[in-house]
Amino acid sequence: KAGVTQTPRYLIKTRGQQVTLSCSPISGHRSVSWYQQTPGQGLQFLFEYFSETQRNKGNFPGRFSGRQFSNSRSEMNVSTLELGDSALYLCASSLAEGRETQYFGPGTRLLVL
Amino acid sequence: AQTVTQSQPEMSVQEAETVTLSCTYDTSESDYYLFWYKQPPSRQMILVIRQEAYKQQNATENRFSVNFQKAAKSFSLKISDSQLGDAAMYFCAYRSGGISNFGNEKLTFGTGTRLTIIP
């Protein structure tokens, strides 16, 4: 079974631009979560989607948004990019049946100049 | 809110030796899950081992085992017969459990321990 895939793997943007990252979960997984990893703040939870609905959201500004499609694929969008948004963005999926483990994708490394 | 603390930023171990990574957490919940994830230089986060709080028996996966002390809120990872491929950042993570938290997939991570294997 294929693992979690994320595209693109690397991205360079400039301040003020917006960016969209994509995540395809493991086949059969219905929950997708997003995390931001930076050297200063570590791993922080962004949000989680299940059945096209956001079920949980971390403490991030409204510039960070996401959505999930009917096939469980998810996208996250960051508008009006700031230098501090430079990070590794990790996506994780799970069966979401109450006691399941999350499995991570390889991440998208975003650099904002 | 739950917190996870890893007090060892860096650890090193001789190849084939045993090393223990520490993790403590703070929670008022009784039902939860604890995980150790490994992140090698490739940056892919890989699940190492998982422990359900309601299980008294410590989880084991091949060379990896945990020492789960629920009362002390401690969850250490022991790596036996260390191999060069074990070199990575290791993250301890917490997730809420129970019926009231069904569907809450959020993981709370510690700051990580960088493990170096000395040949």
Coordinates of all heavy atoms in Angstrom, one line a residue, chain B residues 42-83:
Chain B
S42 N 16.3 12.5 6.1 CA 15.4 12.6 5.0 C 14.1 13.4 5.4 O 13.4 13.8 4.5 CB 15.0 11.2 4.5 OG 14.2 10.6 5.5
R43 N 13.9 13.6 6.7 CA 12.8 14.4 7.2 C 11.5 13.6 7.3 O 10.5 14.1 7.7 CB 12.6 15.7 6.5 CG 13.8 16.5 6.3 CD 14.5 16.9 7.6 NE 13.8 18.0 8.3 CZ 14.1 18.5 9.5 NH1 15.1 17.9 10.2 NH2 13.5 19.5 10.0
Q44 N 11.5 12.4 6.8 CA 10.2 11.6 6.8 C 10.0 11.1 8.3 O 10.9 10.5 8.9 CB 10.4 10.4 5.9 CG 9.2 9.4 6.0 CD 8.2 9.6 5.0 OE1 8.5 9.8 3.8 NE2 6.9 9.5 5.3
M45 N 8.9 11.4 8.8 CA 8.5 11.1 10.2 C 8.1 9.6 10.2 O 7.1 9.3 9.5 CB 7.4 12.0 10.7 CG 7.3 11.9 12.2 SD 8.5 12.8 13.1 CE 7.9 14.5 12.9
I46 N 8.7 8.8 11.0 CA 8.4 7.3 11.0 C 8.0 6.9 12.3 O 8.7 7.2 13.3 CB 9.7 6.5 10.5 CG1 10.1 7.0 9.1 CG2 9.4 5.0 10.5 CD1 11.5 6.5 8.8
L47 N 6.9 6.2 12.4 CA 6.5 5.7 13.7 C 7.4 4.6 14.2 O 7.7 3.6 13.5 CB 5.0 5.1 13.6 CG 4.5 4.4 14.8 CD1 4.2 5.5 15.9 CD2 3.2 3.6 14.5
V48 N 7.8 4.7 15.4 CA 8.7 3.7 16.1 C 7.9 2.8 16.9 O 8.0 1.5 16.8 CB 9.8 4.4 16.9 CG1 10.6 3.3 17.6 CG2 10.7 5.2 16.0
I49 N 7.1 3.3 17.8 CA 6.4 2.5 18.8 C 5.2 3.3 19.3 O 5.3 4.5 19.4 CB 7.3 2.0 19.9 CG1 6.8 0.8 20.6 CG2 7.7 3.1 20.8 CD1 7.8 0.0 21.4
R50 N 4.2 2.6 19.8 CA 3.0 3.3 20.3 C 2.6 2.6 21.6 O 2.7 1.3 21.7 CB 1.9 3.2 19.3 CG 0.5 3.0 19.7 CD -0.4 2.8 18.6 NE -1.7 2.4 19.1 CZ -2.9 2.9 18.6 NH1 -2.9 3.8 17.7 NH2 -4.0 2.5 19.1
Q51 N 2.0 3.3 22.5 CA 1.6 2.8 23.8 C 0.2 3.3 24.1 O 0.0 4.5 24.1 CB 2.6 3.2 24.9 CG 2.1 2.8 26.3 CD 2.4 1.3 26.6 OE1 3.5 0.8 26.3 NE2 1.5 0.7 27.3
E52 N -0.7 2.4 24.5 CA -2.0 2.9 25.0 C -2.0 3.0 26.5 O -1.5 2.1 27.2 CB -3.1 1.9 24.6 CG -3.5 1.9 23.1 CD -2.6 0.9 22.3 OE1 -1.6 0.4 22.9 OE2 -3.0 0.6 21.2
A53 N -2.5 4.1 27.0 CA -2.4 4.4 28.5 C -3.1 3.3 29.3 O -2.7 3.1 30.4 CB -2.9 5.7 28.8
Y54 N -4.1 2.7 28.8 CA -4.9 1.7 29.5 C -4.2 0.4 29.6 O -4.6 -0.5 30.4 CB -6.3 1.6 29.0 CG -6.4 1.0 27.6 CD1 -6.4 -0.4 27.4 CD2 -6.4 1.8 26.5 CE1 -6.5 -1.0 26.1 CE2 -6.5 1.2 25.2 CZ -6.5 -0.1 25.0 OH -6.6 -0.7 23.8
K55 N -3.2 0.2 28.8 CA -2.4 -1.1 28.9 C -1.2 -0.9 29.8 O -0.4 0.0 29.7 CB -1.9 -1.4 27.5 CG -3.0 -1.8 26.5 CD -2.4 -2.3 25.2 CE -3.5 -2.8 24.2 NZ -2.9 -3.2 22.9
Q56 N -1.2 -1.8 30.8 CA -0.1 -1.8 31.7 C 1.2 -2.3 31.1 O 2.3 -1.9 31.5 CB -0.4 -2.6 33.0 CG -1.5 -1.9 33.8 CD -1.8 -2.7 35.1 OE1 -1.5 -3.8 35.2 NE2 -2.3 -1.9 36.1
Q57 N 1.1 -3.3 30.2 CA 2.3 -3.9 29.6 C 3.0 -2.9 28.7 O 2.4 -2.2 27.9 CB 1.9 -5.1 28.8 CG 3.0 -5.9 28.3 CD 2.6 -7.2 27.6 OE1 1.4 -7.5 27.5 NE2 3.5 -8.0 27.3
N58 N 4.3 -2.8 28.8 CA 5.1 -1.9 28.0 C 5.2 -2.5 26.6 O 5.4 -3.7 26.3 CB 6.5 -1.8 28.6 CG 6.5 -1.0 29.8 OD1 5.8 -0.1 30.0 ND2 7.4 -1.4 30.8
A59 N 5.0 -1.5 25.6 CA 5.1 -1.9 24.2 C 6.5 -2.3 23.8 O 7.5 -1.7 24.3 CB 4.5 -0.8 23.3
T60 N 6.6 -3.2 22.8 CA 7.9 -3.6 22.3 C 7.8 -3.8 20.8 O 6.8 -4.4 20.3 CB 8.4 -4.9 23.0 OG1 8.5 -4.7 24.4 CG2 9.7 -5.4 22.4
E61 N 8.8 -3.3 20.1 CA 8.9 -3.6 18.6 C 10.3 -3.9 18.3 O 11.1 -3.0 18.2 CB 8.4 -2.3 17.9 CG 7.0 -2.0 17.9 CD 6.1 -3.0 17.0 OE1 6.7 -3.6 16.1 OE2 4.9 -3.0 17.2
N62 N 10.6 -5.1 18.2 CA 12.0 -5.6 17.9 C 13.0 -5.0 18.9 O 12.9 -5.3 20.0 CB 12.3 -5.2 16.4 CG 11.3 -5.9 15.4 OD1 11.0 -7.0 15.5 ND2 10.8 -5.1 14.5
R63 N 13.9 -4.2 18.4 CA 14.9 -3.6 19.3 C 14.5 -2.4 20.1 O 15.2 -1.9 20.9 CB 16.1 -3.2 18.4 CG 16.8 -4.4 17.7 CD 18.0 -3.9 16.9 NE 17.7 -2.9 15.8 CZ 17.9 -1.6 15.9 NH1 18.5 -1.1 16.9 NH2 17.6 -0.9 14.9
F64 N 13.2 -2.0 19.9 CA 12.7 -0.8 20.5 C 11.7 -1.2 21.6 O 10.8 -2.0 21.3 CB 12.0 0.1 19.5 CG 13.0 0.6 18.4 CD1 13.2 -0.1 17.3 CD2 13.6 1.8 18.6 CE1 14.0 0.3 16.3 CE2 14.5 2.3 17.6 CZ 14.7 1.5 16.5
S65 N 11.8 -0.7 22.8 CA 10.9 -0.9 23.8 C 10.7 0.3 24.6 O 11.5 1.2 24.6 CB 11.3 -2.1 24.7 OG 12.6 -1.7 25.4
V66 N 9.6 0.4 25.4 CA 9.3 1.6 26.2 C 9.2 1.2 27.6 O 8.9 0.0 28.0 CB 8.0 2.3 25.7 CG1 8.2 2.8 24.3 CG2 6.8 1.4 25.9
N67 N 9.4 2.1 28.5 CA 9.2 2.0 29.9 C 8.1 3.1 30.2 O 8.4 4.3 30.3 CB 10.4 2.3 30.7 CG 10.2 2.1 32.2 OD1 9.1 1.7 32.6 ND2 11.2 2.3 33.0
F68 N 6.9 2.6 30.3 CA 5.7 3.5 30.5 C 5.4 3.5 32.0 O 5.0 2.4 32.6 CB 4.5 3.0 29.7 CG 3.3 3.7 29.9 CD1 3.2 5.1 30.0 CD2 2.1 3.0 30.1 CE1 2.0 5.8 30.2 CE2 0.9 3.7 30.4 CZ 0.8 5.1 30.4
Q69 N 5.5 4.6 32.7 CA 5.2 4.8 34.1 C 4.1 5.8 34.2 O 4.3 7.0 34.2 CB 6.4 5.3 34.8 CG 7.6 4.4 34.8 CD 7.4 3.1 35.5 OE1 6.8 3.1 36.6 NE2 8.0 2.0 35.1
K70 N 2.8 5.3 34.2 CA 1.7 6.2 34.1 C 1.6 7.1 35.3 O 1.3 8.3 35.1 CB 0.4 5.4 34.0 CG -0.8 6.2 33.6 CD -2.1 5.3 33.4 CE -3.2 6.2 32.9 NZ -4.4 5.3 32.6
A71 N 1.8 6.7 36.5 CA 1.7 7.5 37.6 C 2.8 8.6 37.6 O 2.5 9.8 38.0 CB 1.9 6.7 38.9
A72 N 3.9 8.3 37.1 CA 5.0 9.3 37.1 C 4.9 10.1 35.8 O 5.7 11.1 35.6 CB 6.3 8.6 37.1
K73 N 4.0 9.7 34.9 CA 3.9 10.4 33.6 C 5.2 10.4 32.8 O 5.7 11.5 32.4 CB 3.3 11.8 33.8 CG 1.9 11.8 34.3 CD 1.3 13.2 34.5 CE -0.1 13.0 35.1 NZ -0.7 14.3 35.5
S74 N 5.7 9.2 32.7 CA 7.0 9.1 32.1 C 6.9 8.0 31.0 O 6.2 7.0 31.2 CB 8.1 8.7 33.1 OG 9.3 8.3 32.5
F75 N 7.6 8.2 29.9 CA 7.5 7.3 28.7 C 8.8 7.3 28.0 O 9.1 8.1 27.1 CB 6.4 7.9 27.8 CG 6.1 7.0 26.6 CD1 5.7 5.7 26.7 CD2 6.2 7.6 25.3 CE1 5.4 4.9 25.6 CE2 6.0 6.8 24.2 CZ 5.6 5.5 24.3
S76 N 9.8 6.5 28.5 CA 11.1 6.5 27.9 C 11.2 5.4 26.8 O 10.5 4.4 26.8 CB 12.1 6.2 29.0 OG 11.9 5.0 29.6
L77 N 12.1 5.6 25.9 CA 12.3 4.7 24.8 C 13.7 4.1 24.9 O 14.7 4.8 25.0 CB 12.2 5.4 23.4 CG 12.6 4.6 22.2 CD1 11.6 3.5 21.9 CD2 12.8 5.5 21.0
K78 N 13.8 2.7 24.9 CA 15.0 2.0 24.9 C 15.3 1.4 23.6 O 14.5 0.7 23.0 CB 15.0 1.0 26.0 CG 16.4 0.3 26.2 CD 16.4 -0.7 27.4 CE 15.9 -2.0 27.1 NZ 16.1 -3.0 28.2
I79 N 16.5 1.7 23.1 CA 16.9 1.1 21.8 C 18.1 0.2 22.1 O 19.1 0.6 22.6 CB 17.4 2.2 20.8 CG1 16.3 3.3 20.6 CG2 17.8 1.6 19.5 CD1 16.7 4.5 19.8
S80 N 17.9 -1.1 21.8 CA 18.9 -2.1 22.1 C 19.7 -2.4 20.8 O 19.2 -2.2 19.7 CB 18.3 -3.4 22.6 OG 17.5 -3.1 23.7
D81 N 21.0 -2.8 21.0 CA 21.8 -3.1 19.8 C 21.8 -2.0 18.8 O 21.4 -2.2 17.6 CB 21.3 -4.5 19.2 CG 22.2 -5.0 18.1 OD1 23.4 -4.6 18.1 OD2 21.7 -5.7 17.2
S82 N 22.1 -0.8 19.2 CA 22.0 0.3 18.3 C 22.7 0.1 17.0 O 23.8 -0.4 16.9 CB 22.6 1.6 19.0 OG 21.9 1.9 20.2
Q83 N 22.1 0.6 15.9 CA 22.6 0.5 14.6 C 22.8 1.9 14.0 O 22.1 2.8 14.4 CB 21.7 -0.4 13.7 CG 21.5 -1.8 14.3 CD 20.5 -2.6 13.5 OE1 19.9 -2.1 12.5 NE2 20.3 -3.8 13.9

